Amino acid sequence: MTLLTPTTPVRPAGRRVLSAGRFGGTLSPRGVAVGLAGIAATIAVTVVSIGHGSFTIAPGDVVGTLLGGGTAAQQLVILDLRLPRILVALMVGAALAVSGALTQTFARNPLASPDVLGVTNGASLGAVALIVLGGSAATGVPLAALAGGLVTAAAVYLLAWRRGVDGYRLVLIGIGVGEVVSGGVSWFLIRAEIVDAARATVWLNGSVAGADWVQVRPLALALTVLLPLAVATAFTLQALQFGDDVARSLGVRLQLAQLAVVLTAVALAAAAVAAAGPIEFVAFVVPQIALRLCGGSRPPLVVSAILGALLVSAADLVARTVLPSRELPVGLVTAIVGAPYLLWLLIRTNRRTT
C-alpha cells in the first residue's frame, strides 16, 4: 500500500488509486492479500502465545477471556500477566519494522536500518550508563534509553548536514558514531560491578519478559502519534526514492521532508528500544521481506508494520518454548533469523555489483 500525490495522476498496473482530500494513494491487491494473511497469522500466534505457559489455557478460553468472559483465574493470568507482554512484543515489532522501512527508503539502501543512525547504540549507552551508575531499573532505564537514542541520532544528523542531508553520507556517519558509542557501552561494562554488568547484558540482548501495563501505555501512546506520521510521510518517500532533483521538481520541500522522515524513523526506533531493549535485525529484515512479498519499488509501511508485529511475537513465543527450563531473550531469536538473511543479501548485492 503506497501513497501518491494528488497531482500525480498515475495508476500503476494492477493497483487501485484512492484519494482523500489533499492525499491520495494506490492499493495493491497483492499487498492487501499479504496484509490480511499477516493479520491472520499474527492473531493466531497471539492466541497461542497467551495460552502457553505454566498455566496452560486453551485457545477458545483465551479468545473468550479477551472478549470479556473467562474465570477469575483466567482473567488474572491473561489480562494482568500475559497480555501486556504480548502487546509490547507486537508494538515493538511494528515500530521497528516501520522505522526500518522509512530508513531504507530514505537512504535508498536495503542495508540501512535505524541501527546505522546510532539509535540502538545510543539507547544502549544511555541504559547501560544508568544501570552501572545505580539508576532505577523500573522507570529510569527506558527513559535513559530513549534519551540516549534521540541524542545520538541528533548528533549523527547534525554531523551529516551539508546544506542538506544525503542518505549515503548519513549512513556512513551513523556507522562511525555508532562504533564510538558502542565503545562507550563497553567501557561502562568493564567498570561495572558483576551484578550490574549481568543486568546490563540482559537488557542489551533485548527482551519483553516481565513487561507490564506500565510499559504498554507509553509505547501505545507513542505509536498512536508516530505511525500516522509515518504513513503521512509516504508521499515524500515516493518522491525521495527517485533522487533529490526529482523530488524538488515534484514540489517537495526537500530539507523539511527529509527531517520529518528521519525524525519519525528515529522516534519509532527509540520508543521500541526503550521498551524492550535492542532487538536486532527486525528493522533490517522485515521491510525487505514485505517488499518481496508485495512487490513495488520500496518497502510498504503498513505491511511492514504487520509483519514486524508477527515476527517479534512469534520470536517471543519461540524464546519461551525452545528450551523447557530456560527462557531466551527475544533479541537472540531475531538475530538467529536475521543474520543469515544479512549474509544472503550481502552476497546477492555483491554478485549484482560484479
Side-chain angles (χ1 to χ4, degrees):
M1 189 182 299
T2 58
L3 298 185
L4 294 171
T5 171
T7 60
T8 308
V10 178
R11 178 181 295 182
R15 291 174 179 252
R16 181 184 294 274
V17 177
L18 303 176
S19 63
R22 296 180 61 251
F23 298 96
T26 61
L27 195 63
S28 162
R30 182 176 168 185
V32 172
V34 173
L36 292 176
I39 291 174
T42 303
I43 292 174
V45 170
T46 299
V47 171
V48 173
S49 185
I50 290 177
H52 177 80
S54 56
F55 182 71
T56 303
I57 302 175
D61 293 333
V62 171
V63 175
T65 304
L66 291 176
L67 295 177
T71 65
Q74 290 171 342
Q75 291 178 355
L76 173 65
V77 172
I78 292 175
L79 301 181
D80 293 340
L81 301 179
R82 296 179 184 172
L83 184 59
R85 173 177 182 152
I86 302 303
L87 291 177
V88 169
L90 293 171
M91 290 188 289
V92 165
L96 289 175
V98 172
S99 179
L102 292 174
T103 306
Q104 290 175 4
T105 305
F106 171 77
R108 296 190 286 275
N109 189 335
L111 297 175
S113 74
D115 300 339
V116 304
L117 298 183
V119 178
T120 302
N121 289 333
S124 300
L125 179 60
V128 171
L130 190 70
I131 292 173
V132 172
L133 296 176
S136 168
T139 58
V141 171
L143 292 177
L146 181 64
L150 293 177
V151 169
T152 306
V156 171
Y157 190 86
L158 292 175
L159 289 172
W161 178 269
R162 294 289 185 279
R163 296 181 178 179
V165 174
D166 176 73
Y168 183 72
R169 185 169 62 240
L170 184 71
V171 169
L172 289 180
I173 292 179
I175 293 173
V177 172
E179 290 301 318
V180 173
V181 175
S182 180
V185 174
S186 301
W187 183 77
F188 273 109
L189 289 176
I190 292 172
R191 288 175 52 88
E193 300 291 338
I194 293 179
V195 175
D196 292 335
R199 192 170 55 165
T201 302
V202 171
W203 189 90
L204 288 172
N205 283 324
S207 176
V208 295
D212 55 23
W213 289 106
V214 174
Q215 292 170 270
V216 171
R217 294 188 184 96
L219 184 58
L221 178 61
L223 264 62
T224 301
V225 175
L226 294 173
L227 288 180
L229 286 177
V231 175
T233 62
F235 157 61
T236 301
L237 293 172
Q238 187 80 17
L240 289 176
Q241 67 177 328
F242 299 111
D244 295 349
D245 293 337
V246 174
R248 288 192 186 93
S249 68
L250 292 174
V252 174
R253 298 175 64 182
L254 192 60
Q255 309 308 331
L256 184 60
Q258 289 177 333
L259 179 62
V261 172
V262 172
L263 280 179
T264 305
V266 167
L268 281 167
V273 175
I279 299 179
E280 303 287 349
F281 290 104
V282 177
F284 164 67
V285 170
V286 172
Q288 291 303 307
I289 294 176
L291 176 62
R292 282 161 174 75
L293 290 177
C294 298
S297 57
R298 62 184 176 83
L301 297 179
V302 176
V303 175
S304 294
I306 295 170
L307 296 184
L310 173 61
L311 174 60
V312 176
S313 59
D316 179 52
L317 178 60
V318 172
R320 294 164 52 199
T321 58
V322 66
L323 294 178
S325 60
R326 186 179 181 84
E327 180 176 314
L328 299 175
V330 65
L332 179 61
V333 179
T334 58
I336 292 174
V337 175
Y341 179 80
L342 173 61
L343 293 176
W344 173 80
L345 190 60
L346 288 172
I347 294 172
R348 186 168 179 266
T349 303
N350 184 59
R351 286 177 178 173
R352 281 186 174 181
T353 303
T354 57

